[in-house]
Each structure stands twice: as C-alpha cells, then as structure tokens.
Amino acid sequence: MSDTHKEIDEASGVETTGHTWDGIKELNNPLPRWWLFVFYGTIIWAVIYMIFMPAIPALPGTGMTNTPGLRGHSDRALVAEDMAKLRAERAAAASQLTTASLDEIESNLSIQQFALAMGESAFGDNCATCHGAGGRGAKGYPMLADDIWLWDGMLDGIETTIRHGIRHTEDPDTRLSAMPAFGRDGLLSRTEIDDLVQYVLSVSGRSANAAAVSRAAPIFAQQCSSCHGTDAKGNRQLGAPNLTDNEWLFGGEPRDIQQTIYNARNAHMPAWQGRLDDTTIKALAVYVHSLGGGEK
C-alpha cells in the first residue's frame, strides 16, 4: 500500500499489507528480532564456511570437484589417517597372531580377544552370507557351529581351507574332491541308485528296506567305498563325508540323498588368499575354530 492510503486493522490497530484471503486481511507485522538475528547469522556463517571449508562445486569439465577452502579440510584424508593409526595400533597384536600356534593363542588372553573380535567382524563381512550369522549354516552351506568337520577341524586345517578354498580352480592348492554324478553320467541305473539310498539310510542308523540294502552293499563297495571307506565313515583327506553320523549338508531325506547320488554335489568355496591379508585369515580361522569346538 502507498503511504497516503494506509489501512489500519480495527481489532489490532496494526497496518495491513492490503492482501486479503477469504475476508481475512494480512497484518504488516515486522519479523521478530531474534529470528532476523538468527537468519543473518546463518548467512554470515555460510560465507565463512565457504571461505574455509570445501563448499562450492566446480563447473563441469574443469577437472575439479569443489573449492578446497583455506583449511584444506578433507574427510577422505582424515579417514586415511585414522585407518593408518588403527593399523599401527594393531600391528603388534597382528604380528603375534600371524605366527602364533593354537596353544599360544589360548594362553594369551589379549591375543585371543584380538583374534576373536577381528575374526567375528571379518566373518560377518565375508562369510555370513553363505554360512549364516554365527556359522549356523544352511542347506548346502556347512554349519560351522558344530563339531562336524568335512576336511580338517584343527586350527591350521581351517586356515588352509579359508586360504585356498574348496574346488577353487584358480588356486592350485585348493581343497579338491569330486563325487561322480552316478545317475546323470549313466554310471548306475535308477534302481541301483534307489538301492544305494536305502543303504545310506541304513548305515546312518535309520530304517531302510533290508532287501535294497543287501542289493546295494556290493555296489557301495565297488563305487563308493574308495572315498567314503568300507565302513562309510568318510575320509577327510579326500573331503568325503562320514555317512554314519546322520549329519547332512544337502539334506538327509531320501529324495535329497537320491539327488546327491544322481547329480553329485560338488559345491564351491572361494579362496580368500589375496582377498584378505594373512592376519585376517588367521583371525577367521581362530573364530571358526571357536564356533565349532575345533579340534587340537
């Protein structure tokens, strides 16, 4: 409104702006001083921040990301510095852990705690996707929180498995075994495989068809005993599982066993050597060893 035609609200005695909405007139009240001070303060702070801190994005094509600021502040550099400090603090414990035996780790509480904490963190980042939180496993992925070991349950053996993997073709030292696909490759007939299923159920202490077990005994001796043993208790040197303990990686139902014999189950575990450093691999081995009451 012009100074010559000021309109004063009768109820409040305050000048109006001249704007009206549905009969409601807007009063020309000044902004609170505290609000103005805060607003002006934020502007001043923003200007100071832009001068001292990285703030203004660079134009496309200039090769820069933003103005560096007078302080030269960099979150990336600070993180790198913190990581370097952390590595330096861990260096002594890491050096001890890498060369320590199981007895030395168990007798040294500080190394043991360091290894378990580091191993648990690395397990969650790299292993839990397949083996589950806490190593509880899943169908097709071994449970690590028990005392059933397919290859080797000693600390050095677990470290070897982690380091070189299982059937990891890019590592010449990988754990390697191959079960034939007796059905898919035509090595046995479906009837013979069905009889073998009954035989496996029998040696694992479960009810089975006696006639089928009798028919399958010579087939098992000829086709399976070279890996699983004549007593069906397996062979860790070959990674052949014990068939008498009623523990099943791919399921223990007759249909699961039939599929294992028919198609074979040659699962893969990656080799972590080259992906993880020696200290992390050793810490993982200690953690896994502790989960399953590892062997000595």
Side-chain angles (χ1 to χ4, degrees):
M1 295 181 66
S2 66
D3 292 340
T4 56
H5 297 90
K6 291 182 179 180
E7 181 182 5
I8 305 300
D9 178 62
E10 295 181 2
S12 62
V14 177
E15 178 187 355
T16 71
T17 63
H19 301 152
T20 302
W21 292 272
D22 296 330
I24 301 174
K25 296 181 179 180
E26 180 185 21
L27 302 182
N28 191 20
N29 284 315
L31 293 170
R33 286 186 176 275
W34 67 266
W35 190 94
L36 288 173
F37 291 150
V38 170
F39 178 67
Y40 296 144
T42 59
I43 295 175
I44 294 170
W45 172 254
V47 172
I48 294 173
Y49 188 93
M50 286 191 296
I51 294 172
F52 287 94
M53 300 292 286
I56 304 175
L59 294 174
T62 61
M64 297 177 61
T65 55
N66 51 256
T67 54
L70 296 180
R71 287 190 72 245
H73 178 86
S74 169
D75 286 339
R76 186 184 296 274
L78 290 176
V79 170
E81 183 180 339
D82 289 342
M83 292 298 296
K85 289 180 180 178
L86 182 60
R87 283 193 291 269
E89 292 172 359
R90 289 180 171 179
S95 177
Q96 287 181 289
L97 173 62
T98 303
T99 58
S101 66
L102 178 60
D103 289 338
E104 290 171 335
I105 294 171
E106 289 181 338
S107 62
N108 189 319
L109 184 60
S110 62
I111 296 180
Q112 185 182 60
Q113 290 178 334
F114 172 78
L116 290 175
M118 186 176 186
E120 182 178 13
S121 176
F123 188 91
D125 291 340
N126 300 285
C127 314
T129 303
C130 293
H131 291 286
R136 66 178 182 272
K139 190 173 183 179
Y141 301 98
M143 176 185 287
L144 304 177
D146 59 16
D147 58 353
I148 307 299
W149 302 97
L150 184 60
W151 291 92
D152 191 338
M154 299 179 69
L155 181 63
D156 290 344
I158 296 171
E159 183 178 352
T160 297
T161 302
I162 296 171
R163 185 177 296 279
H164 299 293
I166 299 173
R167 302 180 189 90
H168 189 77
T169 55
E170 297 174 8
D171 190 318
D173 297 318
T174 191
R175 302 277 200 191
L176 186 61
S177 67
M179 176 177 171
F182 288 101
R184 187 185 65 212
D185 294 341
L187 300 176
L188 295 174
S189 67
R190 185 172 292 275
T191 300
E192 290 173 322
I193 291 174
D194 290 340
D195 288 346
L196 271 177
V197 171
Q198 295 301 308
Y199 185 87
V200 172
L201 291 173
S202 174
V203 297
S204 65
R206 299 158 70 185
S207 62
N209 183 289
V213 172
S214 179
R215 290 193 300 269
I219 300 174
F220 184 90
Q222 181 181 12
Q223 301 285 350
C224 313
S225 63
S226 58
C227 292
H228 293 285
T230 55
D231 57 1
K233 291 192 175 183
N235 184 342
R236 287 189 181 180
Q237 296 295 322
L238 302 175
N242 183 350
L243 303 178
T244 68
D245 59 8
N246 204 24
E247 296 285 343
W248 308 97
L249 178 56
F250 292 96
E253 294 301 315
R255 177 174 177 79
D256 298 322
I257 299 171
Q258 192 270 347
Q259 285 297 313
T260 298
I261 299 172
Y262 190 93
N263 288 311
R265 311 271 198 173
N266 294 314
H268 167 261
M269 173 183 164
W272 292 99
Q273 181 174 254
R275 307 185 189 191
L276 303 176
D277 58 42
D278 290 343
T279 304
T280 304
I281 290 175
K282 185 63 171 285
L284 270 172
V286 173
Y287 178 71
V288 171
H289 187 273
S290 72
L291 287 179
E295 301 167 346
K296 294 186 178 181

